[in-house]
Amino acid sequence: MNINSAIRRLNQIFIVLFLGLSLGLVYWQVAVAQQVTSNIHNIRQCMKDHAPVRGKIYDRNGVLLAESKPIDPNNPFKGVLCGYQRHYYLDGMPSLANLIGFYISPLFNSTGIEHAFDDYLSGRAGLTELTNNLNLILHRPPVGDNIYLTIDTRIQKIVERDFDKYAPSYNPPVPELKIDNDNVFATNRGAVIVTDPHTGEILAMVTRPTYDSNRVAAGDLAYYNQLLRNPDAPLLERPVQGQYVPGSVYKAMTLLAALDTGTYQLNTPSFDYQHAVGPVTIGGEVFAPQLSNIYHVSYARTFPVSMNMGFSHSDNVMFAVIGSKLGADTWLEYNKRFYVGQDIPFDLPVARSSVLPPNGQLPPNLLAENSFGQGVDLVTPMLISLIDDAIANNGVLMRPMLVSRIQAPDGTIIKSMSPQTLSTPVSEQTAASAREAMYGVVRCGSGSVIPELYNSPWNIIAKTGTGQVGGGKAAHGWLMTQAPYQDPRLTIVSMRENAGEGANVNGPAVAAMYNDIYTSVLKLQQPAPADPSVPYCAQHGLWT
Amino acid sequence: MTFRYRWKELGLFIIPFLILLLGMSQLLLANRDQTSSLSTRNLPPIQGLIPILGLIALFVTVNIVLSFFFSRADQMLLPLVGLLSGLGVLMAMRIGPDINRPTLGTQQLIWVILGIIMCMVTLFGLRRMQWLERYKYTWAVLGLVLVCVTLINTLHVKNLDSPTHDQLKLGPFAFQPSELLKICIVIFFAAYLSENRDILAGKGPRFGPFRLPPLRQLGPVFMMLGIALLLFLVVRELGLALLIYGLFLCMIYLSSQKKSYVFFGLLLFALLALIGYSLFSYVRTRFAVVSFDVVNWQHWTAAQTNFAENQGFQIVQGLITLSSGGILGAGLGLGHPTIVPVVESDMVLTAFGEELGLAGLLALIGLYLLLIYRGYRIAMEARDPFNQLLAAGLTSIFALQTLIIAAGNIKLLPLTGIPLPFLSYGGSSVIANYIIIGLLLRISHNTALEREGLA
């Protein structure tokens, strides 16, 4: 019977095909099930037995910042929500709306921490996932984990307050001095990052403008759409997602590369008049004295001068020369060490900073421009904060952190993040020299014209920056700082979009922030007063 | 006609009966107000079990009737399809109220009862299998008539995207000719191929190292196939075309036992598919679904999101529903499968997937495999090639249909509108499937009688 063997064979083929079908079912129902069901098009997530009791968000000291409560029956937008409504407690800390983000329901995309840690907050990760699998079988609503941020709400409130209080609306105190672009403009946009450089913990993060996350979380979609259309982009978390021309703060990158490779020493007078003031021609482009920032400075008459002199007075021509001497490969290597062009390992997604034109090649003239922070440099405040932190922490770069621990609802610690060393981009000696250079900025150079910085009892050291953006728009004002000079406890990077000269627009605010934080929160002893400026500046040829 | 009680069948029915009663009770409990606690006072009324008890009574009656008249017929088939169609009724009852068709379960129950009656009619009416064999061209013509009727109807309906465009309306009943068409085709193939078996197994024209089938003898078979495929192109029933082509391949292989024929068949199919893909835009849109990435939804573009919300809504929601079940499922009546459009028929697998989980689906696949195994066993035991081919072909219908629709549901193939045997809601499908069971029972009974020399 030949047909019988064919039938048997056919039966075997079908058994194999059905086994294949079973494997397909295993794929969908087990392997990718969690990923597929978390789709925002899955309205099951909105139903009673699936909508999670979302975890709470606290600051580092246990101050409640966000929680879910049953929907307020009077909420006119309750139809948008799923069982619970998210409440944010951000009085005096509006920037945390951008940092924490908003969460409406599983059917809408969330933002910020709410988005980045959604798996924990909605109980889809870690040990809680096992509990929630049981809850699912028993038709009980799943529960989420609580998140503790590294943010200190006391510091956050101070930084928010001082940033607004000292918003630029006045003329520079010494108008006759030509320091970068000395015009100052009012602006409603900016960012601040306050970090502990020894642990990488972010203690405060400010962005302007902000929005009311409670209105969005209540389901007011008209308000949300209005935010989306707002040209000032109030939903943007500027410290990590904003990309800006850094201007002279980026000389810190070139300085680190020059010191670390030993190409230049900080206080060796290596630059004659032409290489300090110009004109020099690099790659066919003339870097004229008008660009130098020290051309008009009446006290710079003795040449040759040191790199310290160029850094403190923010000499563009000198840094163009330094960058060219280093060469593109070396300069880019140091950029790479600070995650330029890469993703910074952080708890929120950070926009990639870039220093290369679209074709990926850096010609000599562009390298020269990039070396003093113009050219095609486009960076996030977060990147400047990393440079600042590595300098403060003796050349060791810590992973920036925003989340300190994750706890199950019953208090069990699911995950505790400890400070983590990323790398050592520059040597301890380089970092110390860079701190000295930043000291020179405040004692003798572009920072010394701001009385609040110069007279601060906390020995603030800094680098100023004024990133020219062209197009008839005012420059971005930057200030990268740390204090006290002897042993920096915190670093603060402050940036105001299109506000003009960096020291003027940020200096008073940053000085007030250090004073308020160190006096009322950290309760530090005031450090020994700084060296009198006259001996230091004169000694190192920063005033001549 | 000797009486011999079918104890084995009755014994095998016990577990299906328990499962159905348990499932029905679960459904009644799931439907009650879940906010109040369970107590003797708010238990659902026991009358809710009546439909299932009625079905059980019917199967016991069939068991007794068969003991009198067809005591030698296979004893495993009915418990298997009884459980499958009972689960189909349960799912219709569960889905109905949620899609504003509260009588869906009752309707499906009536279809199952009618199906069992048609199964009995087939058993009693078909005195001699030779009737089927001798009048093979009558069956072919009937098949062609069904094709024509569908074609005419299609031209009337115009809207080819409507899910009911391939139905034939006869008064209150909507009837799908394709369900009977597949039976006609198998009967014709079985009769024709068993007659020309020796020629087929012989040598045909050479084609390089391969030997082609003798083309002249296969003419009528190819004609039937061509008409069926034409039907697919006009009516746009991809699933039906796959089913018919699959049946063709199965039966050619069974009658000739030549792998090269199957190889050529698959080659031809690939060629046809390629032509269809390049010529017809609707084939391309159907296949676009297969390559759609449902897993990485976070990276969807605006166009992909739009697809998931419109043309791809059914399949995307179907997969989400399937995934929602996980390993153990939400429990009968406790999931939300009705989010998926047409979940009661084309997508019923996803409903079972969500509520019974992977465990439940694997059990269902096991049931289908047992059914197929039993069908092929009947075919192997049958005495003459016609009965063998007929039984194997009819069994292959179950196997192919299950594979095609299940593969459509898990996005391995474009989603097609063919029902999952016994589990999908739908009268024509249930009745046609019970007719197939009737034929298989008759063949097994005849075989047993012949073997005992009582024919």
Side-chain angles (χ1 to χ4, degrees):
Chain A
M1 295 295 267
N2 274 332
I3 294 183
N4 275 0
S5 62
I7 292 174
R8 196 168 290 123
R9 178 64 55 83
L10 196 60
N11 195 11
Q12 287 162 357
I13 291 171
F14 279 124
I15 288 175
V16 170
L17 289 175
F18 273 77
L19 282 179
L21 180 65
S22 309
L23 285 180
L25 293 172
V26 170
Y27 174 76
W28 288 106
Q29 298 199 281
V30 183
V32 295
Q34 192 182 311
Q35 166 69 8
V36 170
T37 51
S38 65
N39 194 317
I40 54 170
H41 291 84
N42 181 11
I43 61 170
R44 261 172 213 85
Q45 297 178 88
C46 202
M47 292 173 175
K48 200 177 58 193
D49 49 345
H50 285 82
V53 182
R54 197 171 174 79
K56 296 173 180 168
I57 299 175
Y58 299 95
D59 91 330
R60 65 187 296 125
N61 301 314
V63 176
L64 182 62
L65 296 172
E67 68 173 333
S68 289
K69 286 195 209 166
I71 299 176
D72 174 6
N74 299 321
N75 181 350
F77 311 109
K78 61 187 171 196
V80 173
L81 307 176
C82 299
Y84 298 92
Q85 180 177 337
R86 203 74 168 147
H87 290 264
Y88 299 99
Y89 307 106
L90 309 178
D91 272 349
M93 316 176 270
S95 296
L96 293 187
N98 300 58
L99 190 151
I100 292 174
F102 60 77
Y103 174 89
I104 304 173
S105 85
L107 307 186
F108 290 89
N109 277 318
S110 49
T111 60
I113 291 287
E114 295 274 25
H115 178 74
F117 288 81
D118 187 45
D119 280 351
Y120 287 101
L121 287 166
S122 53
R124 278 197 303 268
L127 277 174
T128 318
E129 190 194 350
L130 295 177
T131 320
N132 282 339
N133 283 338
L134 187 68
N135 285 341
L136 212 60
I137 291 167
L138 298 175
H139 295 271
R140 291 191 303 218
V143 290
D145 296 327
N146 299 332
I147 284 186
Y148 287 77
L149 302 178
T150 58
I151 297 287
D152 187 323
T153 47
R154 296 168 301 174
I155 297 178
Q156 179 75 27
K157 282 179 181 168
I158 288 170
V159 176
E160 302 243 17
R161 188 192 63 208
D162 290 343
F163 190 69
D164 289 343
K165 189 170 161 190
Y166 296 96
S169 58
Y170 57 96
N171 286 322
V174 195
E176 67 272 15
L177 283 183
K178 290 284 181 193
I179 298 156
D180 277 341
N181 175 355
D182 65 357
N183 293 315
V184 165
F185 304 89
T187 175
N188 64 339
R189 288 159 288 128
V192 183
I193 303 176
V194 180
T195 317
D196 180 339
H198 310 294
T199 60
E201 289 167 298
I202 309 263
L203 298 174
M205 203 143 94
V206 165
T207 185
R208 287 286 181 277
T210 63
Y211 67 99
D212 183 353
S213 53
N214 275 319
R215 273 184 81 181
V216 179
D220 189 345
L221 298 179
Y223 172 66
Y224 175 66
N225 287 326
Q226 188 188 321
L227 293 172
L228 283 179
R229 286 192 302 268
N230 189 330
D232 287 339
L235 291 167
L236 187 69
E237 172 67 336
R238 286 179 158 75
V240 291
Q241 286 297 327
Q243 287 168 301
Y244 308 98
V245 178
S248 301
V249 281
Y250 217 59
K251 284 175 185 146
M253 177 71 81
T254 310
L255 178 87
L256 289 175
L259 291 170
D260 204 54
T261 52
T263 313
Y264 292 101
Q265 310 301 317
L266 185 65
N267 287 311
T268 310
S270 322
F271 300 89
D272 61 17
Y273 184 85
Q274 197 209 345
H275 287 96
V277 180
V280 290
T281 307
I282 298 166
E285 187 177 333
V286 178
F287 292 83
Q290 286 77 5
L291 197 70
S292 75
N293 285 337
I294 62 168
Y295 178 57
H296 302 284
V297 180
S298 51
Y299 40 72
R301 289 202 185 107
T302 312
F303 290 89
V305 292
S306 67
M307 188 160 63
N308 201 356
M309 161 79 190
F311 192 76
S312 64
H313 294 287
S314 213
D315 177 353
N316 292 332
V317 171
M318 183 192 287
F319 273 81
V321 170
I322 297 172
S324 306
K325 181 84 182 283
L326 287 169
D329 290 347
T330 309
W331 191 77
L332 288 174
E333 159 63 20
Y334 277 87
N335 276 273
K336 206 175 140 199
R337 292 186 188 183
F338 288 97
Y339 294 91
V340 174
Q342 303 160 70
D343 289 325
I344 294 174
F346 188 46
D347 298 327
L348 288 178
V350 185
R352 283 187 179 188
S353 301
S354 79
V355 292
L356 289 174
N359 69 6
Q361 296 300 313
L362 202 56
N365 62 320
L366 212 49
L367 168 65
E369 288 181 27
N370 276 0
S371 300
F372 57 86
Q374 292 292 146
V376 289
D377 291 342
L378 206 60
V379 304
T380 56
M382 190 70 199
L383 186 93
I384 300 300
S385 176
L386 285 192
I387 299 171
D388 203 6
D389 286 352
I391 294 172
N393 194 36
N394 293 322
V396 178
L397 188 58
M398 306 301 291
R399 186 184 79 88
M401 323 166 40
L402 203 46
V403 170
S404 61
R405 64 181 190 279
I406 298 168
Q407 279 188 352
D410 62 3
T412 321
I413 291 185
I414 303 281
K415 209 171 168 186
S416 184
M417 285 76 160
S418 45
Q420 185 190 337
T421 307
L422 285 179
S423 61
T424 308
V426 293
S427 71
E428 192 178 342
Q429 183 52 45
T430 301
S433 295
R435 283 202 297 276
E436 188 187 333
M438 288 170 75
Y439 177 75
V441 171
V442 175
R443 299 316 315 164
C444 328
S446 55
S448 66
V449 293
I450 311 301
E452 290 88 342
L453 282 178
Y454 185 82
N455 296 325
S456 169
W458 300 103
N459 291 353
I460 300 169
I461 61 174
K463 179 71 195 92
T464 61
T466 308
Q468 315 281 339
V469 291
K473 286 188 177 166
H476 299 318
W478 288 86
L479 195 63
M480 164 184 125
T481 66
Q482 36 190 279
Y485 170 44
Q486 294 84 345
D487 173 26
R489 285 292 301 270
L490 298 181
T491 66
I492 300 182
V493 170
S494 178
M495 195 277 317
R496 293 191 203 261
E497 280 182 42
N498 306 119
E501 203 281 319
N504 277 301
V505 299
N506 297 301
V510 169
M513 288 172 198
Y514 278 119
N515 195 43
D516 295 343
I517 296 168
Y518 287 165
T519 312
S520 62
V521 181
L522 300 185
K523 299 194 168 59
L524 294 190
Q525 288 287 319
Q526 280 194 7
D531 285 346
S533 295
V534 177
Y536 178 83
C537 300
Q539 220 168 32
H540 293 87
L542 306 187
W543 290 352
T544 49
Chain B
M1 193 175 72
T2 44
F3 177 80
R4 186 196 280 177
Y5 196 76
R6 290 159 68 85
W7 285 110
K8 194 173 150 198
E9 188 175 65
L10 190 68
L12 287 173
F13 258 129
I14 291 173
I15 291 174
F17 289 167
L18 287 178
I19 291 176
L20 293 179
L21 282 172
L22 213 64
M24 193 63 219
S25 315
Q26 150 84 20
L27 209 49
L28 294 170
L29 286 172
N31 282 342
R32 53 176 271 285
D33 176 20
Q34 287 177 26
T35 48
S36 60
S37 63
L38 194 64
S39 76
T40 47
R41 228 171 300 154
N42 62 7
L43 272 180
I46 196 79
Q47 297 95 296
L49 289 178
I50 283 178
I52 293 301
L53 288 172
L55 195 60
I56 290 173
L58 182 63
F59 279 120
V60 173
T61 314
V62 167
N63 171 250
I64 293 168
V65 170
L66 289 187
S67 302
F68 273 104
F69 299 99
F70 299 99
S71 55
R72 306 300 156 87
D74 190 273
Q75 304 203 36
M76 247 177 97
L77 282 180
L78 278 175
L80 284 170
V81 297
L83 178 54
L84 284 171
S85 51
L87 287 171
V89 171
L90 278 186
M91 193 43 92
M93 285 181 169
R94 183 256 170 276
I95 289 173
D98 287 358
I99 57 168
N100 286 324
R101 287 169 70 181
T103 58
L104 199 75
T106 320
Q107 283 172 22
Q108 178 75 348
L109 183 64
I110 292 169
W111 290 128
V112 171
I113 291 169
L114 281 178
I116 294 169
I117 291 170
M118 283 309 290
C119 176
M120 292 296 113
V121 168
T122 312
L123 267 173
F124 282 99
L126 193 67
R127 283 286 163 76
R128 311 179 65 174
M129 295 310 285
Q130 285 79 358
W131 290 356
L132 296 179
E133 193 176 5
R134 193 172 306 152
Y135 300 113
K136 57 180 175 290
Y137 289 106
T138 313
W139 294 106
V141 168
L142 181 61
L144 289 181
V145 169
L146 287 169
V147 169
C148 290
V149 164
T150 315
L151 277 175
I152 292 164
N153 189 50
T154 306
L155 296 176
H156 268 290
V157 174
K158 298 226 171 53
N159 178 12
L160 291 173
D161 296 324
S162 133
T164 54
H165 74 266
D166 55 348
Q167 288 178 352
L168 189 60
K169 288 256 181 333
L170 291 173
F173 297 105
F175 170 73
Q176 274 184 303
S178 58
E179 292 297 333
L180 281 185
L181 174 65
K182 65 193 184 191
I183 300 179
C184 292
I185 284 185
V186 168
I187 295 173
F188 171 73
F189 278 2
Y192 189 86
L193 293 174
S194 62
E195 196 179 282
N196 296 297
R197 207 160 66 85
D198 300 332
I199 304 165
L200 272 177
K203 293 176 168 47
R206 267 184 170 282
F207 180 77
F210 300 104
R211 202 170 276 287
L212 288 177
L215 295 173
R216 198 189 321 160
Q217 278 72 20
L218 278 177
V221 175
F222 274 119
M223 204 178 81
M224 274 302 281
L225 183 68
I227 289 166
L229 292 179
L230 182 74
L231 178 90
F232 148 65
L233 288 180
V234 180
V235 189
R236 299 191 173 182
E237 271 298 340
L238 187 57
L240 188 60
L242 276 175
L243 176 61
I244 290 172
Y245 202 86
L247 275 178
F248 165 74
L249 287 183
C250 286
M251 299 206 60
I252 287 282
Y253 175 65
L254 290 178
S255 55
S256 69
Q257 295 103 41
K258 289 203 166 166
K259 280 179 211 132
S260 60
Y261 292 5
V262 178
F263 176 76
F264 271 109
L266 287 175
L267 207 70
L268 195 65
F269 178 77
L271 206 69
L272 284 174
L274 209 68
I275 292 170
Y277 187 84
S278 51
L279 280 186
F280 302 101
S281 67
Y282 80 93
V283 180
R284 279 196 293 276
T285 27
R286 284 291 184 83
F287 272 93
V289 173
V290 176
S291 57
F292 186 73
D293 186 0
V294 175
V295 179
N296 296 311
W297 59 272
Q298 285 99 336
H299 306 298
W300 277 354
T301 60
Q304 281 174 308
T305 306
N306 184 40
F307 181 84
E309 285 166 1
N310 297 294
Q311 307 99 296
F313 183 77
Q314 192 184 19
I315 185 71
V316 169
Q317 290 298 332
L319 289 171
I320 291 174
T321 302
L322 198 60
S323 293
S324 300
I327 294 172
L328 291 177
L332 197 60
L334 295 171
H336 307 280
T338 46
I339 295 166
V340 186
V342 213
V343 70
E344 71 278 11
S345 56
D346 299 355
M347 302 295 285
V348 80
L349 185 83
T350 64
F352 279 101
E354 175 171 15
E355 305 217 319
L356 304 182
L358 178 66
L361 285 190
L362 291 182
L364 287 179
I365 285 180
L367 288 180
Y368 279 120
L369 275 176
L370 277 176
L371 180 62
I372 291 159
Y373 164 73
R374 210 58 203 175
Y376 283 139
R377 233 186 107 99
I378 290 169
M380 286 198 274
E381 283 170 359
R383 279 298 165 107
D384 63 292
F386 169 70
N387 280 319
Q388 284 191 309
L389 284 178
L390 182 63
L394 292 173
T395 308
S396 303
I397 290 179
F398 289 141
L400 287 168
Q401 216 174 320
T402 308
L403 281 172
I404 291 169
I405 188 62
N409 282 178
I410 63 170
K411 205 175 67 71
L412 283 176
L413 281 179
L415 191 58
T416 57
I418 63 172
L420 192 60
F422 300 106
L423 291 177
S424 289
Y425 171 80
S428 352
S429 160
V430 167
I431 289 175
N433 289 336
Y434 267 108
I435 291 175
I436 294 175
I437 295 298
L439 289 170
L440 289 175
L441 286 174
R442 180 82 220 196
I443 294 170
S444 64
H445 181 69
N446 287 358
T447 308
L449 288 188
E450 280 174 31
R451 189 158 289 167
E452 291 168 26
L454 297 169

